[in-house]
Amino acid sequence: LKTKGTKTAAHVLSLAGIEDLKGITVDPKGLTIRSMTTITDIFESPHLKDNFQVLRTVCRNISTTPIRNMATFGGNLTCRYTWTEMPAVLIALDARMHFIGPDGMPYETGAEDFFKNAARTDKIFTRAFIPRDAGASIAYRRVKKMSDVDVPLLSLCVKTNLKGKQWSNTRVSINSTTVFAQRDIQLEEFLNSSQSHPYLGEEALKHLTVSIYDTRSSEYKQHMFRVCIKTAVEEISR
């Protein structure tokens, strides 16, 4: 597989005919989505319950129906475009990504670590496993870049476990679309020390890792990030 320079048909590796790379399975521990599963198949899956429900919203946001019928889960995750929809949500859901190396040996890494490495790999992505968390509260936000081309300007996913009103095990995953999706650890730490109340969303804005939101961002984008964070926290706090 050629990665640099001029490419021809001889340099293309197709995985479309490998049936073992297609499909979704579920068990009490979690959900497995194989790399060649289409976005439409994920959207229509009856297995999207509990913390997996957010995937249906994400799939609905991806382009148009003809594209969703052809685009694959693996393509969305490993194409190395920084603006794709799935990475932020898989990081928030603490997903594990599985690969096969050139030597035929399996390899596993967390979605967070994969995108910290700028989605670089010399391996073939085979599937992702998302652990079940039936008690999780999740809020997802996305803003379109322009009206006529449905590419996100930004997206974010907030997941937590509420113990009464106390936030715990919080993961806040941010996709600025200018770099790969990442967690806001500073915001997570604040939320994990907090209890739900009507003004928690406003207070959360004082605890952002500002560089994630403001670097290479217009004033409008910076504003929309803060609107999305505030409303996502408020949604969970209700």
Side-chain angles (χ1 to χ4, degrees):
L1 182 62
K2 191 174 183 181
T3 58
K4 295 182 179 180
T6 302
K7 301 175 182 64
T8 69
H11 300 126
V12 177
L13 176 64
S14 175
L15 305 178
I18 304 177
E19 293 301 318
D20 286 348
L21 295 181
K22 299 176 183 178
I24 302 171
T25 55
V26 67
D27 62 34
K29 292 184 178 181
L31 184 78
T32 297
I33 306 176
R34 293 173 179 81
S35 61
M36 294 301 291
T37 305
T38 67
I39 301 302
T40 294
D41 286 341
I42 299 172
F43 177 79
E44 295 178 348
S45 173
H47 300 311
L48 301 188
K49 301 175 182 179
D50 298 330
N51 56 308
F52 312 134
Q53 294 183 54
V54 67
L55 293 171
R56 183 167 285 117
T57 302
V58 176
C59 289
R60 186 170 58 240
N61 286 334
I62 295 175
S63 193
T64 61
T65 299
I67 296 296
R68 290 192 292 269
N69 289 343
M70 297 180 62
T72 64
F73 180 62
N76 194 274
L77 283 169
T78 64
C79 65
R80 298 198 65 213
Y81 290 118
T82 56
W83 47 261
T84 54
E85 307 277 355
M86 288 289 180
V89 176
L90 259 65
I91 291 172
L93 296 179
D94 200 15
R96 304 292 299 177
M97 297 177 67
H98 294 257
F99 301 80
I100 292 292
D103 57 359
M105 297 298 293
Y107 174 78
E108 177 185 349
T109 187
E112 180 183 3
D113 290 332
F114 180 72
F115 291 105
K116 277 183 179 177
N117 192 41
R120 293 188 182 94
T121 183
D122 60 351
K123 302 170 180 65
I124 294 175
F125 174 56
T126 58
R127 69 189 187 278
F129 175 79
I130 304 170
R132 184 183 298 279
D133 190 352
S137 298
I138 299 174
Y140 173 75
R141 294 290 186 274
R142 176 203 198 254
V143 177
K144 292 172 62 173
K145 190 170 186 177
M146 57 191 76
S147 59
D148 52 342
V149 178
D150 196 13
V151 173
L153 175 71
L154 61 91
S155 65
L156 61 93
C157 188
V158 181
K159 183 185 85 73
T160 195
N161 294 93
L162 291 176
K163 298 179 179 179
K165 292 187 175 183
Q166 181 66 48
W167 287 54
S168 63
N169 302 318
T170 304
R171 294 175 72 92
V172 179
S173 183
I174 306 298
N175 188 352
S176 69
T177 72
T178 56
V179 297
F180 288 97
Q182 58 190 302
R183 290 169 64 187
D184 187 338
I185 302 297
Q186 181 173 308
L187 179 55
E188 291 177 3
E189 290 175 349
F190 165 72
L191 291 171
N192 281 333
S193 67
S194 302
Q195 293 191 350
S196 292
H197 60 78
Y199 305 106
L200 183 59
E202 192 69 40
E203 290 183 3
L205 299 182
K206 303 173 185 177
H207 299 273
L208 306 180
T209 303
V210 175
S211 60
I212 294 176
Y213 308 90
D214 293 359
T215 301
R216 296 170 62 189
S217 292
S218 64
E219 289 186 10
Y220 170 73
K221 187 173 181 179
Q222 293 170 19
H223 172 72
M224 291 310 300
F225 260 132
R226 285 154 178 77
V227 169
C228 290
I229 288 286
K230 181 176 182 291
T231 60
V233 172
E234 289 174 347
E235 177 183 330
I236 292 174
S237 294
R238 290 192 192 111

